[in-house]
Amino acid sequence: MTMKTISLPLTGMSCANCALSVERNLRKLPGVDTADVNFAVEQVTVSFDPAQVQEQVIINKIKDIGYGVASAKIELAVTGMTCANCSAAIERTLRKKVPGVLDAAVNLATERATVEYIPTITTQDDIIAAIVRIGYGVIPPDAGDTEEDAEQAARRAEVADQTRKFFIGVTVYDLWHIGHARSAVVFDVIVGYFRWRGFKVNFVRNFTDVDDKIINRANESGLAVAELADKFIAAFYDDMDALGVKRADVEPRVTEHIEDIVATVAELVAKNHAYAVDGDVYYDVTSFPEYGKLSHRNLDDMRAGARVEASEQKRHPLDFALWKSSKPGEPAWPSPWGFGRPGWHIECSVMSARHLGPNFDIHGGGKDLVFPHHENEIAQSEAANGTPFANYWMHNGFVRVNLEKMSKSLGNFRTIRDILKNYHPETLRLFLLSSHYRSPVDYSDDTLTATAGSLTRLYNTLGEAERLCGGPFTESEATSASAPLVTTFWENFIQTMDDDFNTAGAIGRMFGLAKDINRLLADQGADKAVISQAALALLTAGRILGLLTLPPVEFLKSPTIVQPPSAASNLSDAEIETLLVDRATARKEKRFAEADGIRQRLTEAGIIIEDRPDGATWRRE
């Protein structure tokens, strides 16, 4: 028998008889060996068998006889909560799994956890560690910090308030392809990870809803420009929802900011950075000495081969349109230069300044936008506002199809919804995150099929862990003492993601943890609590990346690769279960040929059967 000893600070004792009363009542509890009260310092020391009695029972007994246990309170900023279930899980974990915690209340709206605890039993670090182990982030309180720690905390708060992001959206004239999917998924993960790590993010993603391409497509389709834009914005949301990409905090449209755009163009003209010609307004690239600083080019080198509009009105071939005079039948708005509409580049500068200020932290997009689009944004924004534009630039790499650039002319153009007809959305998401965001990624059906198999292995691991540990995992199941395996995983996962959002490396860490879980599952003597902790860590890490969002049993019974339709492949779940019962009966009655025939039918239908001592399980390919 292993005994445990704790010391509890007492309140409400007024005489020696009070001390005797506490001692007598505690010694009557099953499992309590000794209870000694030091009246002078108002403290009781209790030796007990934790297998028979818990700290909370001892504390409750003291309260029942009219005395109190001195406690402390801590308030923590908790990150990563998305719903009421999250706050409830934290409260349950702290109350039930952390010895010495008397109460825990989590306010989802303010993202604050107030915890009452006994300092002689547990510490603030223990409480923070328990929250982190179930997948949430914690910003420790400033109180009690050293002067240096307080400065660091203040800087963290300052950085958190300043973490603002603007991501250029899409021009809404067509369905979205796999290149759009990569940008959307990459920045969805980056924003989500920032928030999970405790930063405040104001994420802005714009819609260009008036543009040459939109006008041309509207004319071809017979739709009004606004009607066409609405149609493809709705299609964008459908595709993003399918991929699990969250909405931005602000999603402005160009047509909602015309007055701001006109004002900014007028300011550039007044500052001699732009000039008007016959109703058009152009930015003068020679007026901005730093033009080319993002793409590391200079004007002379860019003269030849630059993608510019042919026009005799321009002073320099690389000058670009800020305002375009309207043609008959086009959308138009009044301006000092006549009716017209914005140029492409000015839109983003104006909307980012409106919603984030003239200077903000991160601007992102595809590598194809570095020049001329982002280069032009810098020039016009810094010339207009007199301050640096974006502090950091993040550009994701290209998507190639079978080692070739994706284009409609090559016949290798892949829209998101075409791909999702054949593959599970999480398969596409895992594929897009399996390379560093700055690297090119090569799409092929073979690669996506292999990715589907990899995703299935992760779900299989979770499913097996759930089966062994008795049901689906919830955040409240983490224990107060984390296994070294799990602690090491989180250290490595966070370190990898902190290194320029290396999702490829983070996914590698997840597969390493899955391998460790499988090893434990094969060991009949393995501690189920360790398996549960490790599986919960795998689940939480996956959800940080937008993966493993479904219950394993649901995912494994859905096709990850859609096969060509056939009568066999259209078996419902109920029909599969019935066939498995028939097969089990045939095997029991030694009608093995019939049982083998049922298995063959299921195999041809894309159903994988695994026989276990407690019965057969199945999943779709």
Side-chain angles (χ1 to χ4, degrees):
M1 180 174 62
T2 301
M3 303 299 290
K4 183 176 181 180
T5 301
I6 59 171
S7 294
L8 301 174
L10 300 174
T11 61
M13 292 197 302
S14 58
C15 61
N17 288 335
C18 299
L20 293 173
S21 175
V22 171
E23 290 176 347
R24 283 196 303 269
N25 280 277
L26 291 182
R27 288 168 186 168
K28 292 178 183 178
L29 290 174
V32 171
D33 183 33
T34 62
D36 299 303
V37 175
N38 185 325
F39 178 68
V41 298
E42 294 186 298
Q43 180 172 288
V44 60
T45 301
V46 186
S47 178
F48 62 99
D49 178 5
Q52 297 185 57
V53 65
Q54 299 296 313
E55 288 95 334
Q56 193 61 50
V57 175
I58 295 171
I59 294 168
N60 290 342
K61 189 64 176 178
I62 294 171
K63 291 182 177 180
D64 288 345
I65 60 176
Y67 303 101
V69 177
S71 62
K73 281 190 177 182
I74 181 176
E75 185 174 279
L76 302 170
V78 181
T79 63
M81 295 189 295
T82 58
C83 62
N85 288 336
C86 300
S87 56
I90 294 171
E91 291 175 350
R92 288 195 302 269
T93 297
L94 294 178
R95 291 169 182 166
K96 296 180 179 180
K97 302 294 185 179
V98 183
V101 169
L102 301 178
D103 193 21
V106 179
N107 187 319
L108 180 63
T110 61
E111 296 183 313
R112 294 277 171 176
T114 303
V115 186
E116 182 182 3
Y117 67 102
I118 300 172
T120 57
I121 297 180
T122 194
T123 66
Q124 294 182 7
D125 289 342
D126 293 332
I127 295 167
I128 292 171
I131 296 173
V132 171
R133 274 194 297 273
I134 60 174
Y136 302 97
V138 177
I139 302 175
D142 293 342
D145 290 347
T146 63
E147 181 177 351
E148 181 180 1
D149 290 339
E151 291 177 359
Q152 292 174 348
R155 175 57 185 155
R156 182 186 179 106
E158 179 184 350
V159 170
D161 287 338
Q162 290 180 349
T163 302
R164 294 164 291 173
K165 179 181 181 63
F166 176 77
F167 165 48
I168 178 68
V170 288
T171 303
V172 287
Y173 75 101
D174 205 345
L175 294 176
W176 319 115
H177 56 66
I178 190 173
H180 296 126
R182 188 181 196 195
S183 282
V185 169
V186 162
F187 286 101
D188 181 59
V189 169
I190 289 171
V191 170
Y193 186 71
F194 265 132
R195 287 172 172 155
W196 185 77
R197 292 286 279 139
F199 293 95
K200 296 178 182 178
V201 181
N202 185 12
F203 180 29
V204 179
R205 175 172 52 209
N206 81 288
F207 288 115
T208 297
D209 59 347
V210 60
D211 170 86
D212 289 339
K213 293 179 180 179
I214 298 174
I215 293 170
N216 293 336
R217 180 59 59 87
N219 291 335
E220 293 170 3
S221 64
L223 297 174
V225 169
E227 188 179 358
L228 183 87
D230 288 342
K231 172 185 174 181
F232 284 112
I233 288 174
F236 173 82
Y237 283 138
D238 288 343
D239 289 346
M240 295 303 104
D241 290 347
L243 288 173
V245 173
K246 300 176 185 65
R247 301 285 200 273
D249 298 300
V250 184
E251 295 185 329
R253 298 188 184 195
V254 172
T255 54
E256 299 169 343
H257 294 76
I258 299 297
E259 290 184 6
D260 293 333
I261 292 171
V262 170
T264 301
V265 174
E267 185 172 5
L268 288 169
V269 171
K271 292 182 176 180
N272 295 319
H273 286 290
Y275 55 94
V277 181
D278 297 333
D280 296 328
V281 181
Y282 293 96
Y283 184 90
D284 180 2
V285 295
T286 63
S287 72
F288 188 69
E290 294 182 281
Y291 189 80
K293 64 181 178 180
L294 179 67
S295 56
H296 305 292
R297 308 181 187 190
N298 62 60
L299 284 176
D300 291 336
D301 293 339
M302 288 188 285
R303 277 180 179 272
R307 294 193 302 168
V308 297
E309 300 175 13
S311 173
E312 296 179 358
Q313 296 175 317
K314 295 182 180 181
R315 297 175 182 173
H316 189 283
L318 290 173
D319 289 353
F320 54 90
L322 299 173
W323 186 262
K324 296 182 177 183
S325 58
S326 61
K327 299 176 183 177
E330 289 186 350
W333 291 266
S335 79
W337 317 282
F339 278 85
R341 57 185 171 85
W344 178 33
H345 311 296
I346 192 65
E347 306 164 355
C348 306
S349 291
V350 170
M351 286 186 285
S352 61
R354 174 67 180 271
H355 296 285
L356 299 172
N359 170 259
F360 55 93
D361 286 328
I362 301 171
H363 195 324
K367 278 189 176 179
D368 57 321
L369 298 178
V370 174
F371 184 85
H373 185 49
H374 288 165
E375 196 72 70
N376 290 350
E377 283 188 60
I378 292 172
Q380 63 198 12
S381 296
E382 296 188 1
N385 301 317
T387 185
F389 183 42
N391 297 332
Y392 300 97
W393 290 87
M394 301 180 71
H395 295 101
N396 61 273
F398 296 115
V399 176
R400 301 175 298 192
V401 177
N402 297 317
L403 298 178
E404 292 183 315
K405 180 181 178 181
M406 183 178 64
S407 70
K408 290 182 178 179
S409 62
L410 294 174
N412 62 1
F413 190 80
R414 298 289 187 273
T415 66
I416 295 170
R417 52 190 59 191
D418 283 343
I419 294 171
L420 297 187
K421 289 177 183 177
N422 297 308
Y423 295 95
H424 193 282
E426 284 194 20
T427 297
L428 179 56
R429 193 173 176 111
L430 177 59
F431 163 73
L432 294 171
L433 295 174
S434 293
S435 298
H436 192 280
Y437 75 87
R438 286 187 283 106
S439 303
V441 61
D442 188 59
Y443 173 90
S444 70
D445 288 338
D446 289 343
T447 303
L448 219 58
T449 298
T451 303
S454 299
L455 180 63
T456 298
R457 288 198 298 274
L458 290 177
Y459 269 107
N460 268 331
T461 298
L462 284 178
E464 289 297 301
E466 284 189 355
R467 188 182 64 84
L468 180 67
C469 298
F473 296 112
T474 63
E475 292 88 344
S476 62
E477 291 189 43
T479 62
S480 59
S482 184
L485 171 72
V486 177
T487 300
T488 300
F489 166 76
W490 278 121
E491 290 174 352
N492 292 334
F493 180 88
I494 291 172
Q495 182 182 40
T496 302
M497 282 295 291
D498 282 356
D499 184 11
D500 197 17
F501 306 97
N502 184 1
T503 57
I507 289 169
R509 301 290 188 190
M510 289 172 59
F511 278 100
L513 180 61
K515 183 177 179 180
D516 290 335
I517 295 171
N518 290 331
R519 174 179 51 79
L520 291 171
L521 289 169
D523 181 0
Q524 294 184 351
D527 186 346
K528 289 185 180 180
V530 174
I531 295 175
S532 179
Q533 290 176 41
L536 180 57
L538 179 62
L539 179 68
T540 303
R543 290 182 176 177
I544 290 171
L545 302 181
L547 304 170
L548 307 179
T549 61
L550 297 174
V553 65
E554 178 181 335
F555 177 87
L556 295 172
K557 290 187 177 181
S558 301
T560 55
I561 303 174
V562 179
Q563 304 293 341
S566 68
S569 62
N570 287 330
L571 289 173
S572 68
D573 290 1
E575 289 171 326
I576 294 168
E577 296 287 356
T578 298
L579 287 171
L580 286 179
V581 171
D582 292 344
R583 175 175 176 264
T585 301
R587 293 179 68 186
K588 184 177 181 180
E589 297 174 356
K590 298 185 178 181
R591 291 182 279 116
F592 297 115
E594 182 181 343
D596 291 344
I598 294 173
R599 184 184 187 106
Q600 181 62 29
R601 179 186 174 188
L602 290 169
T603 300
E604 291 174 355
I607 307 301
I608 297 174
I609 300 172
E610 296 180 7
D611 289 311
R612 306 179 184 279
D614 56 349
T617 63
W618 64 273
R619 61 181 174 84
R620 300 182 191 270
E621 288 184 342

